[in-house]
Amino acid sequence: MASEKRNGHRRVAIVRGLRTPFAKAGTVFAGLTALDLGRMVVQELVQRSDLDPNEINQVVFGQVIPTLTAPSIAREVVLAAGLPKRIDAFTVARACATSIQSMVAGANAIALGDADVVIAGGTESLSDAPIFTSRPLAHALAASSKGKSLPDKLKPFQKLKAKDLIPVPPAIAEYSTGETMGESAEKMAKENGISREEQDLIAFNSHQNAARAWKEGRFDNEVMHVLVPPKYEQSATKDNIVREDTSLEALSKLKPVFDRRYGSVTAGNASPLTDGAAALLLMSEEKAKALGYEPLGFLRAHAFAATDPGDQLLQGPAYAAPVALKRAGMKLSDIDLVEMHEAFAAQVASNLQALASKEFAKKAGFNAPVGEVDRSILNVTGGSISLGHPFGATGARIVTQALNELKRRNKNTVMCTVCAAGGLGAAVILERA
């Protein structure tokens, strides 16, 4: 659509996207924080876009596992990146859909006329996840800090038991159910009849597509190189999770992780813990034209949805996608590419099954199923299983990847979906023209 406004709102352009390489936690970015990674990608995005920082009205950034010393990550990114201190910034979190949320929040500000230029994105360092103390130790530390003499400071620790001194690692589990995402994916595989072979095939295709994309240079313009501080002797130039040499045979030999006896979810058909950051440059269509930018694409519609986390935790995309398509005035047959976050291959297969199911559509309250997704247009340059999944950054990665591939193929529309903890789901419809 050529109109500057849709439904009375300004049209939002995605001008450019950029990300760091995604690295398996504990590897090349192990010494960096989420703030380090967020700062780097925002600085580089501004420089590569040749954007005057004074044009930026707002920064919306997110993180899922918070940095306890810098919880307001968006504002800290502005300051650490050396952007003008007057720039408004706020932090968002929507689990694995966090940078979809940051994009939508920034886009809403632009659509309503509250901003012209917004940087949106997310960052995550699973290498730097916070380690908690037990509640008794925390209380003892707080009481000790108030002591005025050494005996006073030591007294609160005298009642502690040995178990109180054991660190409490963060758990990627649902607070409401106690189930981890992996356990939930395993349950979905069983309830939906998703075979181990299908899961391994999804993982294999992810690695093959990502390896091909890297080999053909498709990521060269959207993945920055990082010289790793503090010595700057090591550099990260590409994702270190992609396995070009993987095979279905190799994947089939991996043992199940969450249900060792009857399960089918393995380390090979699930996304790994990952460090990385990604950012998007958003503008009103009018502002982009005034500054001489050719947008990668435009946000046509979006939807968020939720389902019972005790049921099918990662089925949110199947609830969000029909709403986003309806808001866009489109059908699945109008979509040229589909990008679906690969938290687990079982989750991808379950959502694809649900989108095509009349029974699911009836259960969810939709008039008809969305339809069967053509696997040849799904995650054509790889997904989270092969590229990695820094929780706060994945959405922005998907949007950038999708729009660049649309341009490369001279196609016009893409639907992106992300499942998220809490039974949440997100879907966005993007278009080039």
Side-chain angles (χ1 to χ4, degrees), residues 165-322:
L165 304 178
I166 299 174
V168 181
I172 306 173
E174 292 295 303
Y175 185 83
S176 60
T177 67
E179 278 188 334
T180 66
M181 279 197 178
E183 290 167 341
S184 297
E186 189 68 78
K187 183 170 73 172
M188 290 174 71
K190 291 184 175 74
E191 292 185 2
N192 299 322
I194 307 300
S195 69
R196 169 70 183 269
E197 290 73 21
E198 181 174 6
Q199 294 175 61
D200 287 347
L201 181 59
I202 289 171
F204 175 74
N205 288 335
S206 184
H207 281 284
Q208 289 288 293
N209 290 343
R212 187 183 308 112
W214 271 112
K215 189 174 183 179
E216 295 176 355
R218 299 190 193 187
F219 293 149
D220 290 353
N221 198 42
E222 62 188 73
V223 181
M224 63 184 284
H225 291 185
V226 174
L227 282 172
V228 182
K231 294 184 177 180
Y232 301 96
E233 294 173 349
Q234 189 177 17
S235 65
T237 60
K238 61 190 300 185
D239 310 312
N240 69 3
I241 298 161
V242 182
R243 295 291 176 263
E244 183 178 5
D245 59 350
T246 195
S247 66
L248 285 171
E249 182 182 8
L251 288 167
S252 71
K253 292 179 179 179
L254 297 175
K255 294 182 178 180
V257 175
F258 303 99
D259 180 349
R260 297 183 184 277
R261 189 170 184 180
Y262 301 110
S264 57
V265 176
T266 72
N269 56 42
S271 59
L273 297 178
T274 312
D275 301 333
L280 302 166
L281 177 58
L282 311 176
M283 295 184 186
S284 67
E285 183 178 23
E286 183 179 63
K287 187 67 171 182
K289 287 179 180 178
L291 295 179
Y293 290 104
E294 179 183 352
L296 277 178
F298 300 88
L299 176 61
R300 178 163 180 144
H302 74 272
F304 295 106
T307 186
D308 180 358
D311 182 19
Q312 303 240 357
L313 175 71
L314 305 176
Q315 200 80 301
Y319 290 88

Side-chain angles (χ1 to χ4, degrees), residues 45-59:
L45 177 63
V46 172
Q47 291 170 5
R48 289 196 184 197
S49 303
D50 195 24
L51 176 68
D52 180 353
N54 290 302
E55 295 283 359
I56 304 169
N57 305 124
Q58 189 177 82
V59 170

Side-chain angles (χ1 to χ4, degrees), residues 14 29 42 82 91 136-137 164 186-187 203 225 230 247-248 280 283 287-288 328 340 357 371 381 397 416 427 429 433:
I14 298 100
F29 292 152
V42 168
T91 299
L137 179 56
D164 297 330
E186 189 68 78
K187 183 170 73 172
H225 291 185
S247 66
L248 285 171
L280 302 166
M283 295 184 186
K287 187 67 171 182
M340 181 174 284
S357 168
T381 50
R397 187 270 297 171
C416 305
I429 309 297

Side-chain angles (χ1 to χ4, degrees), residues 97-173:
T98 286
S99 49
I100 294 292
Q101 178 64 68
S102 63
M103 178 185 73
V104 168
N108 285 344
I110 291 171
L112 293 172
D114 295 335
D116 288 315
V117 179
V118 175
I119 289 178
T123 183
E124 208 75 50
S125 174
L126 274 299
S127 294
D128 189 38
I131 303 297
F132 300 95
T133 64
S134 68
R135 184 62 64 88
L137 179 56
H139 288 168
L141 288 167
S144 177
S145 68
K146 299 175 183 178
K148 296 183 179 180
S149 65
L150 182 58
D152 288 341
K153 290 181 178 294
L154 294 176
K155 186 176 180 180
F157 298 102
Q158 294 174 358
K159 296 181 180 180
L160 293 178
K161 300 176 181 178
K163 66 177 183 179
D164 297 330
L165 304 178
I166 299 174
V168 181
I172 306 173

